Amino acid sequence: MRIDIITVLPELLEGPFAHSILKRAKDKGLAEVHVHQLRDFGAGKHQQVDDYQYGGGAGMVMQCEPLVDCIEALQKQRTYDAVLYMTPDGKRFNQQDANALSLLGDMIIICGHYKGIDQRIRDHWITHEYSIGDYVLSGGELAAAVISDAVIRLLPGVLNDETSALTDSFQDNLLAPPVYTRPEDFRGHKVPEVLLSGNTKAIDLWREEQAYDRTKTRRPDLLED
Ligand code: ADE
């Protein structure tokens, strides 16, 4: 999978893709992330990419031309299955969305800034609009990194058995159960007996119950789905 991210702040995206699982995915040739500076497509000496909004009001709007020029330059080179726009008024991104995107081929992600992008781009070029939560970030870059991470780690071969995505929270609409490691007794706080029993059936059952109880108290909305 190849992900092309369009942004006015490429520096913000240098860190997330340089380490850990995302780096491993890149090193194994399973995923590539390319970051593009939108200003390279901006007009004039100042490489302008935004302008005042029609109708008046505070805040600038990202213009059609630089964005569409950048999208189309990429689309000339290969076919993209999706053009994503990160925006607080998009669909709230969840694990099912990550699963679905992980089955697609290449995608473009557009990071908004200021008041957002001209509606005509949303109407005619964007295929998916996502929010990563009900709060406003100063731009879409961190959201793009979050979504790329959630998708890339699902690609076959990226995770090993130890980190398998199948046991993640949300994969079956349940939160994950609690986990423990050595020592057995830490300052008088003991590991639940069942986990030391070696009885795999009892352990599986305990984990299922814990996952259910945790979901019921913390995220009852997941059980309604
Ligand atoms: N851009 C600004 N806030 C955002 C959010 N919550 N999700 C996605 N993109 C954003």
Side-chain angles (χ1 to χ4, degrees), residues 21-223:
I21 283 168
L22 294 186
K23 178 165 189 302
R24 192 164 2 124
K26 187 173 146 199
D27 293 346
K28 285 185 179 172
L30 298 168
E32 290 174 46
V33 178
H34 297 263
V35 180
H36 305 274
Q37 170 56 274
L38 179 63
R39 286 197 191 283
D40 292 346
F41 295 82
K45 196 169 83 196
H46 299 291
Q47 298 185 292
Q48 190 182 348
V49 295
D50 58 344
D51 208 338
Y52 296 103
Q53 53 179 314
Y54 278 119
M60 307 290 270
V61 175
M62 290 170 79
Q63 294 169 291
C64 290
E65 192 155 335
L67 268 170
V68 170
D69 284 352
C70 186
I71 294 169
E72 289 182 348
L74 289 166
Q75 285 174 332
K76 258 193 208 136
Q77 295 169 46
R78 64 194 65 77
T79 303
Y80 289 92
D81 284 347
V83 183
L84 277 52
Y85 173 47
M86 302 296 110
T87 172
D89 59 13
K91 177 193 182 294
R92 186 129 39 102
F93 188 75
N94 63 21
Q95 188 63 45
Q96 280 70 45
D97 298 313
N99 293 349
L101 291 180
S102 77
L103 299 174
L104 298 182
D106 300 340
M107 61 178 109
I108 294 174
I109 305 183
I110 294 172
C111 305
H113 262 265
Y114 325 113
K115 279 280 170 203
I117 65 176
D118 190 299
Q119 183 60 37
R120 290 167 289 185
I121 303 175
R122 299 176 68 163
D123 292 342
H124 302 292
W125 279 269
I126 302 293
T127 60
H128 301 66
E129 300 188 325
Y130 289 119
S131 159
I132 61 160
D134 293 340
Y135 39 80
V136 179
L137 302 166
S138 36
E141 287 75 15
L142 299 178
V146 165
I147 287 182
S148 301
D149 182 299
V151 171
I152 289 173
R153 65 190 292 285
L154 295 173
L155 299 176
V158 171
L159 298 185
N160 47 36
D161 263 1
E162 254 173 73
T163 48
S164 161
L166 291 175
T167 52
D168 286 343
S169 279
F170 304 112
Q171 270 308 3
D172 44 13
N173 260 359
L174 288 177
L175 300 182
V179 292
Y180 298 86
T181 187
R182 285 187 293 184
E184 251 178 72
D185 184 329
F186 180 68
R187 300 185 181 174
H189 304 293
K190 297 203 171 63
V191 172
E193 205 59 50
V194 62
L195 296 178
L196 310 172
S197 68
N199 180 342
T200 50
K201 243 187 171 163
I203 293 171
D204 285 349
L205 188 64
W206 180 85
R207 285 183 172 149
E208 268 170 43
E209 284 167 2
Q210 291 287 321
Y212 181 78
D213 289 349
R214 200 172 246 202
T215 310
K216 201 167 150 200
T217 45
R218 297 181 183 186
R219 294 292 307 275
D221 57 301
L222 292 176
L223 296 174

